[in-house]
Every structure is written in structure tokens, then in C-alpha cells.
Amino acid sequence: MQRRLFIIFLSLILVAQGCSILPTAKIDDEILGAVEETQDVTMDIAEKSTSISDEATSAIHETKTPEVVTNPSIPSATPTADIVENDSYETAKTAAIGEIYIYKVQSGSPAAMPNWSHPGLGCNWLGLAGQIFDLNGVPKKDTVVEVGGLLNGKKVLGLSLTGVIDLYGPGSYEIKLADKALVSQKTVWVQVKDGNGKVLSPKIFINTYSNCDKNLILLNFVEVDPYTVEFLNFLPLIMH
């Protein structure tokens, strides 16, 4: 009898344990399934986020930085060095006055005559010569005389220094223009400069001739006060 009761008691215990195990296992399975679903959702969200990030990165790379177009008609607001330098009084005065001439053509110049200085060449020579005088009428030496322009359709360029010869008087100069007498009208110019290239006279345009009796052009310069009446037409009126 006791043995039968023990067996029944043991059976009841086993039945009770079986009833408690089954729900627990079922609950564990549900939890595991929920966890797996959560992982799947998380992975799906991560994959979508990665895809969106890649698309955004690609769009950023494909987007070009817009070019800045400057309107050339609008001047820069930053002043250049030239504009700043021009604020000085001396520079402004020089710009207003221009070149300050101190030599003008002597009265009676230019004069065309036969080539007496090179008699052996005769008509096979065309040249310009003369002297430069200071305010006291003394011949100036070491002063540059430059010739330029066109002669017979070709460019002509010549330089001479006063004092290199005395053939036309003390401190004279001479520049050969061509190997023969040629005609031209105001296409050849003459100008006086100092040793540093500073302009000391306006450009004087001369005529040349095909006549062998006029193949030497004598042209003298004299020094004057640059603010005298001789150069009023070269100096603009400055109002204060």
C-alpha cells in the first residue's frame, strides 16, 4: 500500500513538473523567435541605411562646385598700385603737364642745302645735322638727337650725340638718313633727349627732297624756359 502511494505521489510530481516545463519551453521559443525577428528587422534597416548613404555620397560626388563668374564690366574695388602711386602730387603734376620740353627749333631751321660736308658722295647721301645751344648760346655737348619715322616707305632710325664732330660748328651732330636723295613730307621726325633717354623737345617733323641741291638738312635747337610762351601750346591749363 505504501509502495502504491509512493508511486502515485511520484507520478503526481512528474505530472506537475511536466506541466511547468511545457509552458516554459513554449515561452522560450516565442522569445527566441522575437529576437530573431528583431535581428532581421535591424539588419534590414542597416542595409537600407547603407544603401541611402551610398546614394547620398554618390550624389555629392556628382555635384560640381558652381563656377563663380565675374562680370568683366564691373571694375575691381581693390585699387591697383598704379592708382595708389598716382595720388602723389609730383606724379599727378607730371601726368598733367606731360613732357617738360626745354629745347625748341632755332629760328631759320630746318634749312635744306647741297651736301657740302661730304662732297665725294654728292647726291648719294641724305642726312641731317646741326647744333644745340643752351640759354646762353653756348653749344651743348653730350646731348642725344634721335631720328625716327618713315622714309620712302621704310622705317628709319638714327642716333647721334652732340660734340662727336665739329663739322657743322662746335658741339655738332650728324645723322645719315639714306644713300640717296629721297622725298618725304612730315614722315621723318627729330627729337632731343638727355643721356638717360629723357625727352627734352617735342618731335619735329621735317621734309626731305629728291633734289640733290637739298640733300643736307640743317636743324639747330636752342634751350628755352619750358614755361615761356614758346611752349604754351604743349602745357595744359591747370586750375587750382
Side-chain angles (χ1 to χ4, degrees):
M1 183 67 180
Q2 291 179 351
R3 184 177 179 181
R4 180 179 296 179
L5 290 174
F6 176 78
I7 292 172
I8 294 172
F9 179 76
L10 181 61
S11 297
L12 291 173
I13 293 174
L14 291 175
V15 171
Q17 289 180 351
C19 291
S20 62
I21 290 171
L22 288 175
T24 303
K26 183 177 181 180
I27 292 172
D28 291 341
D29 291 340
E30 291 178 354
I31 293 173
L32 181 60
V35 170
E36 291 177 351
E37 290 179 359
T38 303
Q39 290 178 348
D40 292 340
V41 172
T42 303
M43 292 178 64
D44 185 56
I45 293 174
E47 290 177 356
K48 290 183 178 180
S49 299
T50 303
S51 176
I52 294 173
S53 177
D54 292 341
E55 292 177 358
T57 303
S58 176
I60 292 173
H61 288 169
E62 291 178 356
T63 303
K64 296 182 179 180
T65 302
E67 298 181 357
V68 179
V69 179
T70 303
N71 189 347
S73 64
I74 301 176
S76 173
T78 303
T80 63
D82 292 338
I83 296 175
V84 174
E85 290 178 357
N86 284 342
D87 288 340
S88 67
Y89 172 75
E90 290 299 324
T91 305
K93 183 175 70 173
T94 302
I97 295 178
E99 302 291 355
I100 299 178
Y101 305 132
I102 63 173
Y103 290 106
K104 72 166 187 174
V105 175
Q106 186 183 48
S107 180
S109 293
M113 59 189 65
N115 172 26
W116 56 264
S117 55
H118 302 280
L121 297 176
C123 201
N124 297 321
W125 187 88
L126 174 64
L128 176 76
Q131 295 172 277
I132 298 178
F133 302 94
D134 64 14
L135 287 172
N136 298 318
V138 178
K140 291 276 294 184
K141 294 185 178 181
D142 301 324
T143 303
V144 177
V145 180
E146 181 179 356
V147 170
L150 293 174
L151 183 60
N152 197 30
K154 297 180 180 180
K155 289 184 178 181
V156 58
L157 178 64
L159 290 172
S160 183
L161 193 67
T162 57
V164 294
I165 59 174
D166 290 331
L167 187 59
Y168 305 94
S172 56
Y173 71 92
E174 179 187 79
I175 299 175
K176 181 181 177 181
L177 300 178
D179 291 326
K180 61 181 179 179
L182 296 171
V183 62
S184 66
Q185 291 186 348
K186 308 297 183 182
T187 60
V188 177
W189 54 262
V190 186
Q191 192 169 43
V192 179
K193 298 182 178 181
D194 66 10
N196 296 320
K198 181 180 178 181
V199 174
L200 302 179
S201 80
K203 288 183 177 180
I204 306 301
F205 289 84
I206 63 172
N207 294 332
T208 61
Y209 307 90
S210 58
N211 190 335
C212 294
D213 292 333
K214 296 182 178 181
N215 58 338
L216 170 59
I217 311 297
L218 284 180
L219 178 59
N220 293 341
F221 290 88
V222 293
E223 185 177 0
V224 294
D225 185 336
Y227 298 101
T228 57
V229 67
E230 286 86 352
F231 288 115
L232 285 182
N233 58 324
F234 297 107
L235 299 178
L237 180 63
I238 300 176
M239 303 298 294
H240 295 280

